[in-house]
Amino acid sequence: MFELIGRLDEDTIDSRLLRDNPLGDPSRRPVWVYTPPGYDDGITRYPTVYMLLGFTGTLPLWHNRMPYRQPVPELIDGLFARGEAPGMIVVYVDAFTKYGGSQYVDSPGTGPYHSYLCDEVVPWVDANYRTIADRDHRAIAGKSSGGLGAMITPMLRPDLFGAFATHSGDALSEAQYIPHFLWAARHLRQYDGDIFAWWRDFSTRVAFTRPEDERLLELLGVSACFSPDTDGRPELPFDPVTSALKPKVWERWLRWDPVRMAPKHAEALRSQRAIWIDAGTSDEWFLDLGAQAFRQTLTTVGVADDVVRFELFDGGHRAIEYRQPLAVAWLAERLAD
């Protein structure tokens, strides 16, 4: 059993904002807070990074141990224990929903998860830990859907976050999603084009035992976040029989594309102290293209080159957890006093 040199507290937040959420998900939410070696021995205040999980991610996943590899919290702990980065508080955030995730946005289809993160989690951490409680010493980071959250949150709340890291983050929606719409239409033939028929079947058996499960869950879940109907029911952005786009619904998805959001939030992006962007060159959701498009857009809106760390690396979308501690160390250096 590996023992951390720092400390990992497994806490709970009783969220007022998530009470009576549309999906009936728990409003009492776990939040893990890591404090670096030396925290308990002094009065020093530390910068903070908030870590966001990808779609279907729950906090216990951070402890997953692959053969010959260490989990992310252990890798981060090792960085600080060896003095390879200035000390930093690391906050692991839960935003799981019945449909697999919240995309870290406020939605009538899932609940106010963006507000939960910004208006409940951040103040709670600042009140209970010795943080440097200002945006210039507060970062946010995530992978996949968590990378989306890490990109959009500083754009929407630059008063809270002054740096971010995105690993294979959701971006350039046409590259990411449209190929999956084609496959989904084929999958839905056996369900007469009704994704809720698939959902009823999925809900009564062992999950992810059929080839269509991962793709259809993602599209149902993201629809709940980006394009719920007036009653909160998810509406797909494509025809489930032909896969043809539904322009009005698809436009609602595009509003959450960081590549398209960036020009509208150029000032917030220019105010960031540090931006890390990376992705694998064979990403199955083509998020390497999204990373490149987002990087180009940052240049277009005037973000200084010395603020940005960009890299494409050999790899796909999965098993890239080792990239996250690299970004945490870089952010710690950039946000240190």
Side-chain angles (χ1 to χ4, degrees), residues 23-314:
L23 298 178
D25 288 316
S27 59
R28 285 182 59 82
R29 290 283 167 154
V31 59
W32 295 356
V33 182
Y34 168 85
T35 53
Y39 177 90
D40 293 329
D41 302 327
I43 59 173
T44 302
R45 292 188 172 273
Y46 294 87
T48 312
V49 59
Y50 288 75
M51 303 288 283
L52 307 184
L53 286 153
F55 192 71
T56 71
T58 59
L59 292 191
L61 288 176
W62 288 113
H63 285 322
N64 276 8
R65 187 177 299 278
M66 297 173 63
Y68 311 108
R69 294 165 80 156
Q70 285 182 283
V72 168
E74 294 180 12
L75 293 170
I76 290 174
D77 180 67
L79 289 170
F80 297 135
R82 294 187 299 271
E84 295 175 5
M88 196 176 204
I89 292 171
V90 184
V91 183
Y92 299 92
V93 180
D94 170 70
F96 185 76
T97 73
K98 177 181 178 181
Y99 288 144
S102 66
Q103 300 298 90
Y104 303 95
V105 303
D106 289 347
S107 170
T110 54
Y113 285 89
H114 184 261
S115 294
Y116 165 66
L117 167 64
C118 295
D119 298 331
E120 291 188 326
V121 179
V122 170
W124 184 89
V125 171
D126 285 342
N128 288 278
Y129 292 87
R130 293 199 315 273
T131 65
I132 304 174
D134 68 73
R135 56 94 63 184
D136 284 341
H137 296 89
R138 188 184 293 119
I140 188 167
K143 182 241 178 179
S144 194
S145 292
L148 170 71
M151 284 184 277
I152 66 175
T153 302
M155 285 195 260
L156 298 174
R157 292 299 304 269
D159 58 313
L160 287 183
F161 294 97
F164 65 91
T166 174
H167 308 278
S168 303
D170 296 1
L172 197 63
S173 296
E174 60 269 40
Q176 177 183 358
Y177 288 118
I178 289 177
H180 294 276
F181 296 166
L182 308 179
W183 282 106
R186 288 179 173 175
H187 291 321
L188 287 170
R189 284 173 181 161
Q190 61 187 307
Y191 301 98
D192 296 324
D194 183 357
I195 198 167
F196 292 100
W198 165 81
W199 172 249
R200 289 188 292 271
D201 175 66
F202 177 81
S203 302
T204 61
R205 58 177 170 81
V206 178
F208 306 113
T209 53
R210 295 186 181 171
E212 66 268 23
D213 285 352
E214 181 181 15
R215 182 173 284 111
L216 294 183
L217 179 64
E218 178 188 13
L219 295 179
L220 179 63
V222 177
S223 294
C225 300
F226 291 170
S227 57
D229 209 340
T230 53
D231 61 359
R233 181 180 173 89
E235 184 176 0
L236 294 174
F238 62 94
D239 185 295
V241 176
T242 67
S243 82
L245 291 176
K246 298 178 180 179
K248 291 184 179 179
V249 184
W250 178 233
E251 177 58 33
R252 297 176 68 187
W253 283 47
L254 295 179
R255 291 172 195 164
W256 288 110
D257 180 357
V259 176
R260 290 169 168 84
M261 289 179 65
K264 300 175 184 177
H265 299 279
E267 184 176 354
L269 289 167
R270 288 193 295 268
S271 77
Q272 296 297 296
R273 298 183 65 188
I275 299 173
W276 174 294
I277 308 165
D278 69 11
T281 54
S282 55
D283 188 279
E284 292 85 348
W285 278 260
F286 300 100
L287 293 171
D288 50 324
L289 304 182
Q292 288 181 294
F294 186 62
R295 175 65 185 97
Q296 288 181 355
T297 303
L298 293 182
T299 298
T300 300
V301 302
V303 175
D305 287 342
D306 62 358
V307 170
V308 182
R309 170 78 177 267
F310 175 78
E311 183 180 353
L312 296 181
F313 56 87
D314 291 338

